[in-house]
Amino acid sequence: MRALWTYLGISFGVSWLVALPLWLGDGIDEPLLPVLAVAMMFTPALAALVVVRFVERRPLARALGLTPVRPWGRFLGWLGIALVVPVALVAVALPVASVLGLYEADLVEFSGFRETLDAQLAAVGGAPLDIPVQVLVIAQLASIVLGAVINTVPALGEEIGWRGWLLPTLVDRYGTAAAVVVSGLIWGLWHAPLVLLGYNYPDASPLLALVMMVGFCTVVGAVFSWLRIRSGNVWAPALAHGALNAAAGMHLLFVAAGTTVDTTHATILGWSGWIVPLALVAVLAATGQFRARQPEPTATP
C-alpha cells in the first residue's frame, strides 16, 4: 500500500502545484494554460518513476509497461487498433447526440466551422478565406493521424502512470474489474485542477464538471485499460490517448452556425457520448477481452 499511496500523493500533489499559477491568475484564460496543461500530463509518469525506482526498486521498463513490445507484428497491430478506435468513438458520438437532439450538425456547408474561421481571421484583421470550407474540413480530418502521433508524447506522460503502473498494481491487488473502474475514477479526479476552473465543461458548475470528467474517464479509461491488458504494454493506450486528444475537437467541424455545444450532454465528453463506449466495453467484457494474453510459447531447438 505504501507504493500506491506514494504514487497518488505525488501524481495529485505535483499536478496541483503545476496548476497553481492558473488558480492564482486568470484561470483557463491564463496565457500559460497550454504549457501548464502539458506539464501536468507528465506528473503521473513522474510519480510512477519515483515509486518504481525508490519504493519498489524494480526494473523500470517492465514495471512501467514499456516492455514487452515483441513480436513486432502484434505490437504494430495493436497500435493500429489504438489509433482507429478512439477516433471512431469520437466520431460516432456526434450522430448519437444529433439523434437525441443534443447536437445540430451541418454536413453540407459546415457553417459553424466557417463562422469560427471567419471570426478568427477578423480578430487579426484578415479577410475571409476564399478556399472552399470542405477542403479545410478534409485537411483537418486528415491531420488527426499526425496529431495523434504528436499527442502521444504528452499522453505517454499520463499513460505510464495510469495504465503503465497503476492499472497492473490494482489488478494484482483487487482483480481486473475493480482495477479498471478504480483506475478510471482516479484518472478522472486527477483532472480536478483544470476541470474545476471550467476546462472541458465550461457550461457546467464546477462540481458537475468534475462528476462528468470522472464519468468520462471511467468509461474511456476502460477502453484504454483493454488496450493495455491485451497488448501487454503501455504504448497502445498512449497512442489511443493521443488519438482521442487529436480528434476531440471534431464536433467543431460539423456543428451548425448559431448553435452551441454543451459538452455535458454532447460529444465524447458528454453522457450521450458514453453510450457507444459503454456498449463496446460490455461486449469486450462479455467475450473475455479483459483477460491478459498468455505469453507466446518459446520455440525449443
Side-chain angles (χ1 to χ4, degrees):
M1 287 297 289
R2 184 163 71 97
L4 179 59
W5 286 112
T6 301
Y7 170 81
L8 294 176
I10 294 174
S11 58
F12 277 71
V14 177
S15 70
W16 273 98
L17 286 176
V18 170
L20 188 59
L22 303 178
W23 285 81
L24 298 177
D26 296 326
I28 59 174
D29 294 322
E30 180 69 37
L32 286 174
L33 173 64
V35 175
L36 295 177
V38 171
M40 185 175 159
M41 293 179 73
F42 287 95
T43 60
L46 172 64
L49 284 167
V50 170
V51 167
V52 173
R53 177 65 180 84
F54 297 105
V55 179
E56 297 178 327
R57 299 184 183 277
R58 290 193 290 154
L60 288 174
R62 186 170 289 273
L64 299 178
L66 298 173
T67 59
V69 296
R70 295 184 179 181
W72 291 109
R74 192 177 191 282
F75 174 67
L76 294 175
W78 277 106
L79 289 183
I81 294 172
L83 180 62
V84 171
V85 169
V87 178
L89 293 178
V90 171
V92 77
L94 301 183
V96 171
S98 182
V99 168
L100 294 172
L102 303 171
Y103 177 79
E104 186 175 344
D106 179 358
L107 303 180
V108 178
E109 299 296 332
F110 304 100
S111 55
F113 182 49
R114 177 180 288 280
E115 184 179 67
T116 299
L117 290 176
D118 290 344
Q120 291 173 343
L121 289 170
V124 296
L129 287 174
D130 56 3
I131 301 174
V133 70
Q134 291 82 358
V135 173
L136 296 177
V137 169
I138 293 172
Q140 288 290 314
L141 293 174
S143 70
I144 288 176
V145 175
L146 177 60
V149 175
I150 295 173
N151 286 338
T152 296
V153 176
L156 191 62
E158 286 196 45
E159 292 304 319
I160 283 176
W162 305 130
R163 258 64 63 173
W165 183 85
L166 180 62
L167 179 68
T169 299
L170 293 176
V171 168
D172 290 342
R173 183 174 291 271
Y174 303 111
T176 301
V180 169
V181 174
V182 171
S183 63
L185 293 173
I186 292 172
W187 182 33
L189 290 171
W190 172 85
H191 287 85
L194 296 183
V195 172
L196 292 175
L197 290 173
Y199 199 69
N200 295 118
Y201 298 96
D203 299 311
S205 67
L207 179 58
L208 177 59
L210 185 57
V211 170
M212 294 301 297
M213 178 55 74
V214 170
F216 163 74
C217 288
T218 303
V219 173
V220 174
V223 178
F224 289 179
S225 294
W226 162 65
L227 291 170
R228 167 67 168 100
I229 291 168
R230 297 302 294 177
S231 70
N233 58 67
V234 76
W235 297 102
L239 179 58
H241 195 151
L244 179 74
N245 289 350
M250 191 183 296
H251 64 281
L252 299 175
L253 300 177
F254 306 117
V255 68
T259 64
T260 58
V261 181
D262 186 348
T263 52
T264 308
H265 302 289
T267 80
I268 190 69
L269 290 170
W271 63 265
S272 65
W274 307 345
I275 296 173
V276 174
L278 279 172
L280 173 61
V281 170
V283 170
L284 293 172
T287 55
Q289 293 301 304
F290 281 93
R291 290 194 294 267
R293 70 180 181 92
Q294 298 298 316
E296 297 188 6
T298 304
T300 54

